[in-house]
Amino acid sequence: MKRRLLIALAPMLACAPWLAHADNWPAKPVRMVVPFPPGGPADLLGRIAAQAITDSLGQPVVVENKAGAAGNIGVDAVAKSAPDGYTLGIVPVGNIAVNPSLFANLPYKASDLAPVALLATVENVLVVNTALAVANLQDLIAAARKKPDTLSFASPGAGSQAHLAGELMALRANLKLVHVPYRGVGAALTDVVGGQVSMMFVQTAAAVPFVREGKLKALGLASPRRSTALPQVPTIAELGFPDFQAVSWYALMAPAGTPRPIVDKLNEQMNRMLAKSDTRERFVALGMEPGSGTPEQLAQRIATETAQWSEVVRKRNVKVD
C-alpha cells in the first residue's frame, strides 16, 4: 500500500521543487535570446520586453543576440535550455510555424517551446508595379491565369514570409507565378518599383511611402482587417479569399516544461506592457501592432498557422537553399 501511494504521488513530488522555485522566481538575472543580429525588429522587441520584465520584477534581463541559420540557432538555444524561467526567447512566426515544415533537419520541434505571449504583429500588403495593367486583385489574377509563369513576385529570400505569402496566393487562386528571391527587402522592393519584378508581399510600413508617391499600387492586405495606414485598400479576404492571412508576428516563448506560474507571471507582465499607450505609440512607429492574449491563444495561433504553412510548403514544393 505504501509503495503504491509513493508511486502515485511521484509526479506531484517531482513537481514540488519547481513549484517552490516558481514562487521565488526570478531570484537571479534572466537571459533573453534574440535569434537575429542587433537592430532588427526581433532585437527591438526583445529589448522592450526585457526592460519591462526588469522594471516589474526587479531582476535584470540580459539580451543575448544569437543569430544564424535564419534564426534557428537562437530558437534552438532556447528550446534546449533548462525550463526554469531563466531563459526566454523572441520567436518569429517563421521559426515556430513555418521552419518545422521547411527544414528537414531542424534541431528543435515546436513542442520544445512553451508559448508565453504574443508581442507584436506586422501587416503585409500585396503591391504591384504601376506599369502593370491591373486595377485590382481580380485583374491581377485574370492576367496571371491568361499567361501562366509570366508574372513574377519578389521576396527577401526563399522561405521568408513574403515568399510564403506569394505561394499562398498562388495556391488559393490556382496561379502559376515565378518566385524571384533577393537578399533583403530593400533590393526586392526596389526591383518591384523599377518593374523588373511584377509584385511583392511586403510589410505595410515599407510599402506606404511608395504607394503614396504613386510608385506602387496596393491591391490587398494579407491581414484580417484593413490597415489604418492604407484604409482604402481592402483585405484579400474581402476580395473572395476567406481566411487569407500572411501576418508576420513575434512571440515571447520559453523552454517547454517551464512552470506554469512563471509563464502566467510573464504573460501578465507582457499584456500589461502592451496595453500602455506609450508602448502602442512606440510599436506603431516601428510599423508593428501590439499583441495580447493568453498562452493558450498563442498556442492555437501557432497550431493554425503551422497547418496552413505546412500545406503551402508541401503543395507548392517550397525549398530553401
Side-chain angles (χ1 to χ4, degrees):
M1 176 69 74
K2 184 176 180 181
R3 184 171 180 273
R4 287 199 297 270
L5 180 60
L6 287 172
I7 292 172
L9 291 175
M12 296 177 62
L13 294 172
C15 290
W18 287 111
L19 294 174
H21 160 74
D23 289 340
N24 298 322
W25 180 91
K28 62 181 182 180
V30 176
R31 179 175 68 143
M32 177 76 75
V33 177
V34 174
F36 294 97
D43 179 65
L44 293 171
L45 284 171
R47 294 179 190 281
I48 293 171
Q51 190 60 54
I53 297 169
T54 298
D55 292 344
S56 60
L57 300 180
Q59 285 288 348
V61 179
V62 181
V63 174
E64 178 184 336
N65 294 92
K66 203 171 184 66
N72 292 336
I73 290 174
V75 174
D76 184 50
V78 177
K80 289 183 168 53
S81 294
D84 55 8
Y86 289 101
T87 298
L88 306 172
I90 303 299
V91 181
V93 54
N95 293 96
I96 191 70
V98 178
N99 289 0
S101 300
L102 204 53
F103 292 87
N105 299 310
L106 198 68
Y108 62 87
K109 303 185 297 294
S111 58
D112 294 334
L113 295 156
V116 176
L118 177 66
L119 295 179
T121 59
V122 183
E123 301 167 337
N124 290 301
V125 61
L126 175 61
V127 294
V128 299
N129 177 266
T130 53
L132 202 62
V134 298
N136 50 48
L137 182 63
Q138 288 79 3
D139 287 349
L140 179 68
I141 291 171
R145 287 176 177 169
K146 187 176 181 180
K147 295 183 178 181
D149 294 316
T150 300
L151 297 185
S152 55
F153 71 98
S155 83
S160 63
Q161 184 77 358
H163 178 196
L164 272 291
E167 298 291 0
L168 177 64
M169 187 77 255
L171 179 64
R172 294 286 184 263
N174 192 27
L175 306 177
K176 291 184 178 181
L177 304 173
V178 179
H179 174 228
V180 183
Y182 288 78
R183 293 194 175 188
V185 173
L189 199 53
T190 297
D191 274 8
V192 177
V193 172
Q196 287 82 7
V197 187
S198 311
M199 70 191 91
M200 179 181 184
F201 279 92
V202 66
Q203 292 183 4
T204 304
V208 165
F210 296 100
V211 173
R212 288 179 177 168
E213 292 171 11
K215 295 180 179 179
L216 288 174
K217 187 181 298 179
L219 299 186
L221 269 295
S223 55
R225 54 186 174 274
R226 295 196 181 198
S227 169
T228 55
L230 295 170
Q232 77 282 8
V233 179
T235 67
I236 293 174
E238 289 178 62
L239 299 174
F241 296 91
D243 301 323
F244 187 102
Q245 286 193 47
V247 178
S248 302
W249 52 261
Y250 300 86
L252 180 66
M253 304 193 78
T258 298
R260 184 59 194 243
I262 293 178
V263 170
D264 287 342
K265 188 181 290 188
L266 284 165
N267 178 267
E268 178 186 355
Q269 296 305 323
M270 291 300 97
N271 281 324
R272 186 175 299 170
M273 172 198 75
L274 294 165
K276 292 180 178 178
S277 59
D278 60 338
T279 301
R280 170 169 290 277
E281 290 172 6
R282 192 172 180 184
F283 277 36
V284 169
L286 295 169
M288 298 184 287
E289 183 75 16
S292 64
T294 65
E296 287 76 18
Q297 288 171 323
L298 176 56
Q300 182 57 54
R301 185 178 195 126
I302 292 169
T304 299
E305 296 205 22
T306 297
Q308 171 178 280
W309 296 125
S310 64
E311 179 193 18
V312 171
V313 168
R314 183 179 70 258
K315 291 185 176 180
R316 296 292 300 173
N317 194 29
V318 177
K319 303 291 184 183
V320 293
D321 295 333

